[in-house]
Every structure is written in C-alpha cells, then in structure tokens.
C-alpha cells in the first residue's frame, strides 16, 4: 500500500491497523491474541511507525469494524449497536451513543472469551464457534470442506450435515449475543467477518435464539454488516484519520 | 417509614425505591420482573407520588446497590466495578468512570437473563442459580432447608450435599461474571444480596472460575459487598437525593 501510494504521489499522513485483541491501544502493543499463534507483546505500533516515519494507531479489529459500520455502513443512523466479528477468533465492537465504547480496559467486547458450557465443561465461545472450528467439525463429520465458500455451497445444496453444524455454531453465537445484549442494550447487532458468506443458515438460528430469550419488549435487529469485506481496513483508516485530526488540532 | 418521619418531625422531600428490573426509570413503571409474580406494568412511581405528594424516583435494585457501594461502601475508590445482586432474581449494576452506567435501555446489567446451557438446554442464569432454586435443589436432594441461614449452617458442618449444591451454583454465577467482565472490563466485582450469608463456600468457586478463564493480565478482584444488608434502601435513598438535588438546581 505504501509503495502504491508513493507511485501515485499520494501523501500518507497516518496509518491505522486493526488487529485481533487483546491489545494496548495506548502503546500500540499487541498482547497475545489466542488465535494469532506466536504473537506475544508485539509492539506493532512502533515497528510500523519506525518503518514509515508517520503516526500509527492500532485498535482491536472488531472495534474498527464497528467504527466503519458507524461511519460508512448501515450503522450511520443507529446510536447503539454491537458489531460481532466472526473469524477464527470472535470479537465485538460496541457503539454507545454514536461513539466507540472502549471502557477503561482493552478487554471490552471480548465476546470470543464468553464461557459456554459445552460437552460437560466450560469453553470459550471462539473455541466452539470460530471459523476454524466450523471447518474442523465439517471435515470430522465426513464433509470435505477446505473453505467457508465450499461450506456455503453445501448449504445451498441442502446438505443436512452442513446445516446442522452451522445451526449449532450459530446457536452458540446467538446465546452469546443474548448475553451481550443484556449487558449493553443495543438497538442492532451487526454480524461481520469471514463467516457471513454462510448467509441465511447462519443468521436465522441467531435471530431465533435472540428473539426467543430477550425480554419481551426488546426488539433487537440482527443483520449482516453492510460493509463486511472491507470493514477492518476501512475502520482502521477511519480510526487513524480521527486520531490524526485530534493530534493535529491539539498541536495548533 | 413515612409515619415514623412524621412523628419525629423529619421532613421528607423525596422517595427513592429500588425494585427488580426490568423497569422504565423515566416513567417509574415496573414492567414485569420475572420473579415478582403478578407485577406487570405497575406505575409504582406515580402510585407512591400520589400517596405522599412528594417526588419519587425508582430504579433497578442492582443499580441502586451499585450506587450505594460507590457512595458508602468499598467502591468509593474504585472507578469501574460491577455489583451483582443475588436474590431470587439476579441483577447487576455497572459503575464506569465513577458513574452508574445506565446505557440507553433499561435492560443493562440484566445478568440474571444470561443464557446458560444446562441439562441440554439454554436456561436463564437466575433460573438455575437464584436463591429459590438453591433452596429447592437442597430440599430435593434430601436436605431440609427453609432458609439460606440454615444452608450456611450445613456448610459450616461440612455437609457434602450442601457444599456441592453451592459450588455448582457459584460456578454458574462465576461463568456469568466472566462474560460480564469481558463486556465491561471492571476492576472489581462486588457480590451482594441474600446469598452472601453463604460466605466462603459461595465466593471461592466464583473466584476460581474467574481467575481461571480471564485473559492473563486481568486481575479482577471478587469480593462481598461491604454494605450488603442495607444496599437497596441506602442506594435508593442516594438515588433519590441525587435526583432531588438535580431537580432543585434545575428549578433555580
């Protein structure tokens, strides 16, 4: 990207990066994302800053997705929402009163670490419902599936094994969404990340469990992110622009 | 209370009431608390206001407990904490940056409605871990227990059935606390409500599951409320005082 910009004569003033949490957004240190093997306390912010000599901001990938949905997507007119990013890991960004809610710790929205009691023991949501788990389950049950796209094909062909695996995973994700809703009370929950290619068979069971278990008067809308495929880079860019502007205005 | 005040010549200027949620704090309407049988859309605020002719504010009982812990208890110097109120129902009040976090909906902190996958189906936390459930389980397993105090006695006598029931319930509560911590990132979790009489056998399993499943760097303190027995009335009073002062200052 940097070289492309150079060629085109575009002046890049800041870099924004979205990475799986947990991380320290203040210092730009990526701690130890459970599903990013080998990463531990990587000072990503200062590495990139040294390389290019411009300001760098990093933030949790689900958080920047929420920002992107707020600025560019269907979240523009929604004051309170949760953005759930479902990849190998699962995270959430929370928008409250039109702003990214970051809490005071960098663990906010770590919905992938919600505990689920499955097969007689407590397990993390992302360890029973992440993309890698879904593909693993499919293959262990006799389907030969290397990608989510292939899984989506099987779903379209009405493959019962594929449907039951997706339904089970979607139900777990839905139960975590119910819990998250009870903590922060959003109007809408956006679903983003790689898993959205599964379409209706994914979102339908989520909607069912949510509407079944919420208090009667809550009508929380569950929908796919409108900017799913570009959410992380777009949101990281927005994040950097906002911080760059803040920095500039504080320098005046 | 009103008659006592009259006798003593105390002038009461406002009333605060803490009730189980969900409710609408704006209008003073108690919606339909799952464990308050027969209550549905009760305009408690205006009923009490008409009766005594003074301003009345009502708020979720767990929320006023959190306020009481913040103003009068061990929460005074803690900027971010969750107060879990464990009675027949289970609720939570959330203090963020020294203030009660109320979100934009009145369902915030409804931790009793967290979903737990128990005995092959999703159930609400308070339906598998409330005080009434604990006593029911104890009696159905052959203990003759009418009160939590009796249960506490059995625990002191090292009764194994009592211990195992409390441990199981505490573990469920602990798993919900892990999830709540992942959403709001508090420094401390206070445990209040009737169930605190069970003491160490209750809090120890909660501490164990929390320390086991949190991200490594989080050191969240789990402790009993320091003002447990008076938390609801104290907090409701504080809530009314704050709102009364706000009202007065807006009238100036």
């Amino acid at each position: 990207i940097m070289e492309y910009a150079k060629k085109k004569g575009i002046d890049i003033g800041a870099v924004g990066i979205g990475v799986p949490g947990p991380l320290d957004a203040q210092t730009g240190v990526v701690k130890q994302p459970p599903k990013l093997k080998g990463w531990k306390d990587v000072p990503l912010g200062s590495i990139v800053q040294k390389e290019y000599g411009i300001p760098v901001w990093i933030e949790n990938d689900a958080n920047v997705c929420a920002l992107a949905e707020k600025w560019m997507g269907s979240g523009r007119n929604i004051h309170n929402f949760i953005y759930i990013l479902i990849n190998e890991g699962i995270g959430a960004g929370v928008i409250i009163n039109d702003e990214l809610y970051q809490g005071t710790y960098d663990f906010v929205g770590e919905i992938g670490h919600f505990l689920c009691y499955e097969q007689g023991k407590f397990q993390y949501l992302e360890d029973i419902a992440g993309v890698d788990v879904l593909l693993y389950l499919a293959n262990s049950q006799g389907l030969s599936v290397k990608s989510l796209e292939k899984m989506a094909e099987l779903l379209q062909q009405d493959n019962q094994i594929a449907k039951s695996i997706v339904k089970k995973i979607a139900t777990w994700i839905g139960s975590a969404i119910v819990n998250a809703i009870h903590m922060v009370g959003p109007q809408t929950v956006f679903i983003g990340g790689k898993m959205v290619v599964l379409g209706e068979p994914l979102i339908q069971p989520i909607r069912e469990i949510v509407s079944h278990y919420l208090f009667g008067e809550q009508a929380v809308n569950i929908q796919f992110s409108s900017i799913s495929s570009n959410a992380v880079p777009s949101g990281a860019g927005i994040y950097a622009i906002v911080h760059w502007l803040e920095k500039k205005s504080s320098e005046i």
Side-chain angles (χ1 to χ4, degrees), chain A:
Chain A
I1 295 175
M2 301 303 282
E3 275 163 25
Y4 175 81
K6 216 171 176 179
K7 267 188 209 158
K8 294 275 177 185
I10 300 167
D11 187 23
I12 294 186
V15 172
I17 304 173
V19 291
L23 56 86
D24 185 335
Q26 294 292 318
T27 59
V29 172
V30 179
K31 286 169 180 172
Q32 194 171 9
K35 297 215 176 177
L36 272 187
K37 296 253 155 63
W39 287 59
K40 193 181 178 192
D41 296 331
V42 176
L44 185 63
S46 55
I47 290 172
V48 179
Q49 189 146 358
K50 265 183 205 151
E51 180 73 21
Y52 298 107
I54 50 176
V56 173
W57 284 275
I58 71 170
E59 182 46 271
N60 183 292
D61 53 0
N63 285 358
V64 300
C65 286
L67 267 186
E69 195 72 44
K70 181 71 211 165
W71 282 53
M72 306 163 55
S74 302
R76 268 174 294 190
N77 299 314
I78 302 178
H79 305 306
N80 306 281
F81 65 80
I82 299 178
Y83 189 108
I84 313 251
L85 184 69
I86 313 175
N87 291 318
E88 283 73 18
I90 301 176
V94 181
I95 299 285
I96 291 176
N97 294 333
D98 296 315
E99 294 195 356
L100 183 62
Y101 173 63
Q102 294 178 288
T104 40
Y105 295 94
D106 295 308
F107 303 96
V108 166
E110 289 290 357
I111 199 170
H113 270 214
F114 271 23
L115 290 184
C116 303
Y117 194 72
E118 164 70 329
Q119 300 193 321
K121 61 180 187 223
F122 286 106
Q123 301 189 60
Y124 290 127
L125 175 67
E126 64 188 17
D127 292 339
I128 61 171
V131 167
D132 50 344
V133 179
L134 186 143
L135 294 176
Y136 171 82
L137 284 179
N139 283 291
S140 72
Q141 288 185 34
L143 303 176
S144 177
V145 196
K146 289 222 175 83
S147 69
L148 285 171
E149 286 70 18
K150 176 71 189 164
M151 195 75 180
E153 258 177 48
L154 291 176
L155 291 171
Q156 274 170 352
Q157 292 157 14
D158 211 31
N159 182 299
Q160 293 304 310
I161 301 174
K163 280 175 82 173
S164 106
I165 291 170
V166 169
K167 183 170 183 180
K168 191 166 184 196
I169 281 181
T171 303
W172 277 117
I173 292 169
S175 76
I177 289 175
V178 170
N179 297 358
I181 288 171
H182 278 124
M183 282 311 284
V184 297
Q187 295 159 270
T188 297
V189 176
F190 291 102
I191 312 279
K194 295 177 194 170
M195 212 183 268
V196 303
V197 300
L198 300 180
E200 284 301 306
L202 175 68
I203 206 165
Q204 212 43 52
I206 295 178
R207 286 187 176 135
E208 274 165 31
I209 189 168
V210 168
S211 70
H212 187 77
Y213 286 106
L214 286 193
F215 278 113
E217 294 183 32
Q218 282 178 296
V220 180
N221 192 27
I222 311 286
Q223 63 186 75
F224 283 126
S225 166
S226 56
I227 46 148
S228 188
S229 54
N230 294 313
V232 175
S234 309
I238 291 165
Y239 190 78
I241 290 166
V242 171
H243 281 269
W244 185 82
L245 288 171
E246 272 176 8
K247 189 167 174 274
K248 286 288 161 190
S249 57
S250 73
E251 285 168 4
I252 292 167

